[in-house]
Amino acid sequence: MVKIAPSILSADFANLGRDVKSLETYGADWVHIDVMDGSFVPNISFGAPIMKSIRELSTLVFDVHLMIEEPGRYIEDFVKAGADMITVHYEADRHIDRTINYIKSFNVKAGVALNPGTPVSLIEDLIPNLDMVLIMSVNPGFGGQKYIPYCGNKIKQVKELAEKYNKELYIQVDGGVCADNIKEVVQCGANSIVAGSAVFKNGEIEKNIKVLRESI
């Protein structure tokens, strides 16, 4: 089954706990947590303390996406805050293999994210040691952007690498996925979908998750 991972970047921050609780009630699979540092991406979101404060409100997988420079410095903080999976950007880490192994040393799943302009071929050697590859289908930093169509080819390339190495891999897509294009994205090979505004728009979380699943 395709995993639906609502990004709480689009939640109501004044009622963050309520929204996190409602994701489990309304059928989400994971909670996607976008961490931004204002350096790697032109925006700042939140850090480990806020994540820790909502961890006890949900039994869902906490899928942590670190859009930050030198992510290896903060891995332990997010593990202690309750991360189940941590994804770091290929472009933000000069020692990506070391960071992947560091994440896995805590018995936490590890993923690598690629910006739209970064070729999939750069991470081929990492595939056997990864649990997830995240294809950014918008330029990271802001919610509500439109899906970049050529990212479909990148999803297919990741799927081909997973098959080449006989690797069970989550192929996650983040950015601009909505009811209008989610079926196409899944047909390309994605099995984990990050959705922010598509889930939280109009405060109709239950309805929006249902629409995404029906559209698949």
Side-chain angles (χ1 to χ4, degrees), residues 89-168:
H89 270 262
Y90 177 88
E91 306 88 355
D93 196 323
R94 288 177 291 180
H95 304 287
I96 190 73
D97 181 78
R98 181 167 66 192
T99 300
I100 291 166
N101 285 299
Y102 186 45
I103 294 169
K104 294 176 81 72
S105 74
F106 292 102
N107 199 30
V108 169
K109 294 185 185 300
V112 168
L114 297 176
N115 285 338
T118 302
V120 170
S121 59
L122 293 176
I123 63 166
E124 178 171 356
D125 291 339
L126 302 175
I127 293 292
N129 201 30
L130 291 175
D131 298 293
M132 184 164 75
V133 173
L134 192 171
I135 297 298
M136 291 300 304
S137 46
V138 299
N139 289 292
F142 298 96
Q145 300 181 67
K146 290 186 177 180
Y147 177 83
I148 298 174
Y150 70 70
C151 291
N153 291 328
K154 298 181 69 177
I155 301 166
K156 294 176 183 178
Q157 290 168 27
V158 175
K159 185 177 181 182
E160 289 171 0
L161 287 177
E163 292 172 349
K164 176 180 178 180
Y165 290 99
N166 194 27
K167 174 70 177 180
E168 290 188 12

Side-chain angles (χ1 to χ4, degrees), residues 174-195:
D174 183 357
V177 180
C178 61
D180 294 336
N181 60 16
I182 191 170
K183 184 176 181 179
E184 176 185 349
V185 170
V186 169
Q187 288 175 337
C188 287
N191 53 21
S192 175
I193 302 295
V194 177

Side-chain angles (χ1 to χ4, degrees), residues 9 29 43 55 60 90 146 149 170 176 182:
L9 191 65
D29 299 296
N43 202 355
R55 176 68 273 190
L60 295 180
Y90 177 88
K146 290 186 177 180
Y170 286 115
I182 191 170

Side-chain angles (χ1 to χ4, degrees), residues 62-101:
F62 269 29
D63 166 30
V64 181
H65 178 193
L66 298 183
M67 290 179 270
I68 63 177
E69 300 283 355
E70 299 183 61
R73 297 169 56 193
Y74 304 96
I75 298 303
E76 188 170 2
D77 291 341
F78 283 97
V79 169
K80 289 179 178 178
D84 297 295
M85 182 181 299
I86 298 177
T87 299
V88 297
H89 270 262
Y90 177 88
E91 306 88 355
D93 196 323
R94 288 177 291 180
H95 304 287
I96 190 73
D97 181 78
R98 181 167 66 192
T99 300
I100 291 166
N101 285 299

